Amino acid sequence: MLTCRQATQLLSERLDRPLLFLEQADLQIHLLACRSCRRYGKQVKTLSQLAKEFKNFDEGK
Ligand SMILES: [Zn+2]
């Protein structure tokens, strides 16, 4: 099982690159068991969406 540190790292990396199947599976298992990493996953996702929207906004100028 991943540590929380490994899980949060994968959660951030997932935004920049596709995870390997094994990483994906390990991460899912950790997220099922760990509530704080689930919450972290939601936060990074929201942040990255916001960052994308700002970027689009900039490029639209
Ligand atoms: Zn965790």
Side-chain angles (χ1 to χ4, degrees):
M1 171 125 153
L2 297 178
T3 62
C4 286
R5 196 195 165 101
Q6 290 170 319
T8 51
Q9 189 175 348
L10 284 179
L11 284 168
S12 334
E13 280 183 18
R14 182 164 77 165
L15 305 170
D16 300 324
R17 65 170 179 94
L19 296 184
L20 304 175
F21 178 77
L22 200 64
E23 292 173 324
Q24 190 80 257
D26 280 348
L27 183 60
Q28 288 309 320
I29 291 168
H30 184 91
L31 290 180
L32 278 176
C34 180
R35 192 206 273 194
S36 46
C37 287
R38 273 207 300 274
R39 193 170 349 137
Y40 177 82
K42 264 190 201 163
Q43 283 171 356
V44 287
K45 207 171 160 190
T46 310
L47 281 178
S48 84
Q49 277 167 357
L50 278 179
K52 264 184 211 152
E53 279 171 29
F54 277 125
K55 194 164 174 268
N56 290 339
F57 182 71
D58 263 359
E59 283 166 359
K61 262 194 259 181

